[in-house]
Amino acid sequence: MAHLFIGEVLTHGGTAVDATAGNGYDTLFLTRQVGPAGRVYAFDVQEQALLKTRKLLEEHSLAWQVTLFQAGHEEMDRLVCGPVDAVLYNLGYLPGASHELITQPETTIASLRAAIGLLSRGGRIGLVGYPGHPGGEAECNAVIQFASCLDHALYSVIKISMVNRAGNAPVVILIEEGSR
Amino acid sequence: MAHLFIGEVLTHGGTAVDATAGNGYDTLFLTRQVGPAGRVYAFDVQEQALLKTRKLLEEHSLAWQVTLFQAGHEEMDRLVCGPVDAVLYNLGYLPGASHELITQPETTIASLRAAIGLLSRGGRIGLVGYPGHPGGEAECNAVIQFASCLDHALYSVIKISMVNRAGNAPVVILIEEGSR
């Protein structure tokens, strides 16, 4: 659903940020969306994640379209020249790596503030959170709390929850600059 | 979002049901999706709604693709020959008509059961509910309760809520036949 939502506004020539490069699948999706005339910026604090992301992009001959930053996503307003059409977050830990190194509520909220500041008119943010791992629920609650307080005259915010799953199922938050 | 979700699986030659024809906009959307080789069935208990729907379809020269039933949507399993790829619901009252005539929890749940029975493999149901009018909240709660109890091994169910709006903002329930 996050890809569907982002794909609607992120077209050829657009600019996008993958806040959490991880294994690179979201970066690949964004890069395909913007095409050769577009630009993608991807963040991760772990070198291992950026190496995997670069490898995946190289396999698809798309690495030249992407700028990789080994930095926290909360630094995106310092490192990315806006406006950007879309920002994607996939919170939690790097699949296959240590579960101790996880995204944190403070930096995630700081990053969301930065992302909102970079967003173009009609731009969108898609975020997937995971309440199932230690610390994950607190982070998801912080994101929902932050998103709930965004002025509805300026931002449309929706939450997607899987109602026939256990309470620790992933949650998706989608933010659009502009009201409906 | 309901249209995005339905549009992913409802393609040319498909079969769809508009459970609540209303002013016909959902019927028009479904009819465009299935194209000339597809078929759409639309239900409404109010003649006024079906007349408006037919007029809208005629303006787009698409009326011949649609079967209109002046009947409750809970009768769809008796009147529609399945399988169907998509079913859309827009609950509440007919815009511009009496607010006293509203969809009811009992028939809406019976209709959802019928819709699930008609659904093809991978088929989808999209429902928009309105907690804001008298009786609306009880109906939305009944739908969420029903959807929460669907076996997650057989159905994917998501709820979309507008988290930075008042509690009476519309709610969207999306059901897919098949687990993820």
Side-chain angles (χ1 to χ4, degrees), chain A residues 88-159:
Chain A
L88 264 179
Y89 291 83
N90 197 5
L91 301 180
Y93 51 82
L94 178 65
S98 165
H99 293 198
E100 311 247 312
L101 196 55
I102 55 174
T103 53
Q104 298 290 341
E106 297 74 21
T107 40
T108 297
I109 300 304
S111 174
L112 280 169
R113 283 192 208 283
I116 284 172
L118 284 171
L119 225 50
S120 62
R121 175 121 194 85
R124 294 179 172 183
I125 297 171
L127 177 148
V128 185
Y130 301 88
H133 64 82
E137 192 177 357
E139 184 180 37
C140 287
N141 288 341
V143 168
I144 292 165
Q145 174 65 22
F146 170 79
S148 304
C149 295
L150 288 172
D151 184 348
H152 67 77
L154 301 176
Y155 302 97
S156 298
V157 184
I158 61 179
K159 182 181 83 165

Side-chain angles (χ1 to χ4, degrees), chain B residues 66-86:
Chain B
V66 181
T67 308
L68 299 174
F69 291 114
Q70 190 174 353
H73 46 153
E74 73 278 12
E75 295 196 63
M76 72 171 78
D77 52 354
R78 196 173 61 78
L79 295 167
V80 172
C81 181
V84 305
D85 305 302

Side-chain angles (χ1 to χ4, degrees), chain A residues 6-42:
Chain A
I6 294 294
E8 267 206 313
V9 297
L10 187 65
T11 49
H12 276 234
T15 304
V17 174
D18 185 352
T20 51
N23 288 327
Y25 298 108
D26 280 344
T27 312
L28 180 62
F29 163 75
L30 296 170
T31 308
R32 284 176 163 158
Q33 285 292 127
V34 301
R39 195 75 207 156
V40 174
Y41 302 90

